[in-house]
Amino acid sequence: MPDKAASTGKDSLLEALIPALFNKALSLSKAGRTEEALVVYADLDDRLKDATEPQWQLYGAMTLANQASCFRILQNPQAEIATHDRLIERFGNLPDTELQIYVGKSLFDKAVLLSNAEKYKDAIDSYDALIQHFSENPLPLLQSGVAKALFNKASLFSKMNETEKSIACCDDLLTRFADNKDPNIEKIVANTLLNKAGCIEKLGQHDRMIAAYDCFLNRFSDSKEADIQLCLALVSIKKAEALKNNDQLEEAFSIYESLIHRFEKDESDEMAFQLAKAYINAADILCRLQRRADENNLYTAFITRFLSTKEPSLQIAVATALIKKATNLVAKGQVKEAIDCYDLVLNSLDDSENQELKKYHILAEKEKNSLETV
């Protein structure tokens, strides 16, 4: 008959020793003594490798996870991958939810490490293992992991120039998660729709590309989330550019006009670049349609909005708009107004910090002088 007292004493010792060793390793790691922490984690791993009690299995998973993090700090990806493999093998088939979260993270982190090492096929295998293992698990955290795995898998196929496989992977993600309202998954869905459209763009399939952009716009048109709204602007511009390149000028202009109207009061730096593209591209369409008055009105709105910008590329865009507006004014015989545009280039756009702007200053000075000597 087993010695019950001895067994109880051993359990009490474990209950004191294991947390103490774990906390010691954690403290060493936080103090930057990573190699010393690894020694303690190795001792813990050896003590816990055959544990069958749930509480000690959880400590075993946490030990291996922290051990992998230490190897990451020491920039030892091979040891980190080996540690993830031990965690996956030891706990992959156990039903405990907390253990499964660690398994999912190890599968994902292993795939990222393999991807960073350009071992794309092995990385895809790890993502596939995660997807297969957790597809039916309803836990939101694990479902988010499945979505991220599908997203990264699609990106790897794209890097490997396997475009149709990348699109198929995007479609798999969208089939699973298109209607998911979890904010984290919504962002993945949004980026997946963008990536799918980008893949189709590589194939040069115009109608299919427009349909992909429309899927995004229809799905997220009412979103108030800042990142999604920025993506809405980006997708709108991409769709308009595709239409413009296909000589569908009126349709493209309508998109630019709607975009400007929707986001003209957005003051964020990120949105400023998208709005600037919309203004300039819309003005170019009006130029091609010979609608000079409307073109100049758009330049005026753009210049008013961005004249005070300090961002170099936007300063160039403003200078370009002023010079194009001046050219249109000269063609209409409005010389004074044209000179005013050149003066704005010279007096309101400081070229001391923007070397590229010097070229526009030289051009504006030359054109102004030629008008004044007529």
Side-chain angles (χ1 to χ4, degrees), residues 253 256-257 260 278-286 291-304 321 325:
F253 178 78
Y256 289 129
E257 191 175 39
I260 292 166
Y279 274 110
I280 295 301
N281 290 347
D284 180 63
I285 289 174
L286 292 172
R291 292 167 55 182
R292 300 298 187 190
D294 291 335
E295 180 189 355
N296 270 13
N297 288 338
L298 204 56
Y299 285 139
T300 299
F302 173 72
I303 293 160
T304 301
K325 180 181 176 182

Side-chain angles (χ1 to χ4, degrees), residues 151 178 180-194 213 215-237 259 262-263 266 268 270-271 274:
F151 180 84
N180 194 299
K181 299 303 180 183
D182 183 310
N184 293 322
I185 292 181
E186 273 198 324
K187 289 181 181 179
I188 296 170
V189 168
N191 285 309
T192 297
L193 285 164
L194 287 177
Y213 290 139
C215 280
F216 181 94
L217 296 171
N218 293 335
R219 172 68 172 80
F220 293 105
S221 60
D222 296 327
S223 175
K224 304 300 181 185
E225 206 279 324
D227 289 342
I228 299 294
Q229 288 195 329
L230 185 61
C231 287
L232 279 167
L234 177 63
V235 171
S236 295
I237 287 172
L259 179 64
R262 177 169 182 174
F263 295 112
D266 191 314
S268 66
E270 295 85 356
M271 190 63 75
Q274 304 308 322

Side-chain angles (χ1 to χ4, degrees), residues 321-357:
L322 281 164
I323 288 170
K324 287 186 174 182
K325 180 181 176 182
T327 301
N328 288 343
L329 289 168
V330 170
K332 293 171 65 177
Q334 296 175 256
V335 174
K336 182 183 179 304
E337 291 86 344
I339 290 174
D340 289 341
C341 289
Y342 292 129
D343 279 338
L344 279 174
V345 174
L346 296 168
N347 300 324
S348 298
L349 296 172
D350 184 5
D351 66 352
S352 61
E353 300 295 330
N354 188 345
Q355 294 299 310
E356 185 68 19
L357 199 54

